[in-house]
């Protein structure tokens, strides 16, 4: 007989506060997100991803000189990954999920970083920079290799979003796609103590290294209840096929007691502010060939699902509108969650630095609800 669940526990740590952070302010009732006090709307409109990484890590926006230095360092030190890593990725099993590939490749990157075990603030910032600059290279590398193409070496001139698209396709990226990817990266860079950030901080709290923390965080983000939802949303849109079938699909899904991917959030009980921005982006794509149809399907799904679920506090989350926006930028559907990694590595690494600056081992307890005592029964006497 299964043991009875404890009533008084905060299942899934819902509502439990476990640390102070200076990174993201979130008001889940009002739908507000600010990085270091700056509204996400202003950052999405005006900032480059590199600026946001600097802001999260250093606590203030960079001056023009500081930003130039930061970007130059990124390009110089860290966009190129070691040949040993490239060779290994070429031999990874074809057909593996890109998140499993990325999790393993990031761990491998740590293996080839001579400074991986050096635990000073400077060394850990260098590792954070290596991860931020190296992850887009790893994602593009696998995409090229699995399609039988040669990897494209990183550009020395392009910004973060543009360089990623260039490595993916080998062509000069168009401005609309660069802007879409940059905005996406800005919007998802940090979000309090979500499951993957909590994982990263838990690993860091044992005084393990930065690469271990980020590898663990990638494994956590992979799950469909967290970052893996963006891929599932796009698959749902494909399954629905056309806007006229979308409302019936929503009704059938909910009537069967199933969840709609890209809906619901542990913290937001109103519309996620990032989803609001991405919906505007998606709507602007409605006239685009190849993409417009999926935007139309997404909007009918969103409106029909909101009608049935919003009274319960279930609204579209950031992953819902991410799907058509990433699709419009030419990102393969199973690479959506790796692009989430490419963004969230900013928050993860900044949180690891914050944890390291004032560390205490994270070690909660479980309430034992199994049998208190029972005898050891020898093998021959067991039923
Ligand atoms: N579709 C339909 N109903 C839902 C959904 C959904 N997507 N999400 C929650 N509900 C319902 C539940 O069935 C439950 O209903 P009940 O009270 O009648 O039983 C109620 O809302 C509360 O659900 P919980 O599971 O308790 O909410 P929780 O905070 O634990 O879960 C989660 C949050 C995991 C995000 C959930 O909303 C979900 O599964 N969403 C779909 C996956 C998804 O989009 N994940 C991405 C989240 S954003 C991110 O990680 C970047």
């Amino acid at each position: 007989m299964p043991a009875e669940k404890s009533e008084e526990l905060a299942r899934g740590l819902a509502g439990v506060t476990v640390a102070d952070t200076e990174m993201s302010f979130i008001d889940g009732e009002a739908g507000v997100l600010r990085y270091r006090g700056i509204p996400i709307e202003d950052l999405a409109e005006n900032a480059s991803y590199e600026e946001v990484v600097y802001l999260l890590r250093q606590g203030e926006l960079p001056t023009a000189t500081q930003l130039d230095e930061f970007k130059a360092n990124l390009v110089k030190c860290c966009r190129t990954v070691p040949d040993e890593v490239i060779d290994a990725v070429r031999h990874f099993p074809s057909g593996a999920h890109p998140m499993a590939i990325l999790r393993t490749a990031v761990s491998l990157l740590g293996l080839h970083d001579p400074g991986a075990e050096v635990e000073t603030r400077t060394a850990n910032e260098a590792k954070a920079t290596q991860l931020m600059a190296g992850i887009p290279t790893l994602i593009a590398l696998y995409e090229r290799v699995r399609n039988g193409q040669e990897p494209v070496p990183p550009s020395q001139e392009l910004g973060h979003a543009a360089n990623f698209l260039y490595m993916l396709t080998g062509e000069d990226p168009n401005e609309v796609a660069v802007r879409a990817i940059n905005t996406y990266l800005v919007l998802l860079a940090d979000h309090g103590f979500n499951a993957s950030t909590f994982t990263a901080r838990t690993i860091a709290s044992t005084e393990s290294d930065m690469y271990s923390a980020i590898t663990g965080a990638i494994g956590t983000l992979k799950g469909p209840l967290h970052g893996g939802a963006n891929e599932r949303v796009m698959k749902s849109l494909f399954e629905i096929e056309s806007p006229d079938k979308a409302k019936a699909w929503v009704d059938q899904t909910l009537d069967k007691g199933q969840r709609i991917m890209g809906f619901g959030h542990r913290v937001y009980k109103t519309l996620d502010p990032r989803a609001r921005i991405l919906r505007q982006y998606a709507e602007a794509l409605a006239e685009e060939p190849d993409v417009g149809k999926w935007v139309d399907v997404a909007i009918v799904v969103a409106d029909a699902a909101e009608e049935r679920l919003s009274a319960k506090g279930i609204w579209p989350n950031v992953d819902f509108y991410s799907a058509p926006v990433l699709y419009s930028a030419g990102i393969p559907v199973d690479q959506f969650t790796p692009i989430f990694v490419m963004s969230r590595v900013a928050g993860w690494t900044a949180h690891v630095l914050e944890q390291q600056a004032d560390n205490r081992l994270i070690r909660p307890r479980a309430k034992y609800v199994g049998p208190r005592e029972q005898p050891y029964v020898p093998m021959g006497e067991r039923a």
Side-chain angles (χ1 to χ4, degrees), residues 224-226 229 259-264 266 312 314 317 319 340:
L225 295 190
H226 191 10
R259 289 177 180 218
I260 297 184
M261 288 290 130
F263 265 72
R266 180 58 68 74
K312 261 196 198 178
I314 308 288
N317 59 49
D319 281 337
F340 195 160

Side-chain angles (χ1 to χ4, degrees), residues 26-100:
I26 306 165
D27 182 338
E29 300 298 326
V32 173
L33 170 62
R34 298 185 197 129
Y35 296 160
R36 302 252 184 206
I38 303 177
I40 195 68
E41 291 78 7
D42 292 346
L43 292 166
E45 183 69 30
N46 301 304
S48 68
Y49 176 67
E50 291 94 318
E51 245 178 293
V52 167
V53 175
Y54 190 101
L55 169 70
L56 287 171
R57 200 189 293 175
Q58 307 299 348
E60 55 188 14
L61 286 169
T63 61
T65 314
Q66 285 167 332
L67 184 61
D68 284 348
E69 273 172 18
F70 183 61
K71 283 160 92 173
N73 182 42
L74 272 180
V75 173
K76 188 163 62 103
C77 87
C78 307
R79 276 188 179 168
T80 306
V81 301
D83 288 344
E84 293 85 345
V85 176
I86 297 176
D87 284 347
V89 171
R90 283 185 195 276
H91 294 97
F92 282 174
S94 61
H97 193 280
M99 278 298 276

Side-chain angles (χ1 to χ4, degrees), residues 198-210:
F198 184 53
T199 302
R201 286 190 73 137
T202 302
I203 293 174
S205 85
T206 70
E207 297 187 359
S208 185
D209 68 289
M210 178 74 83

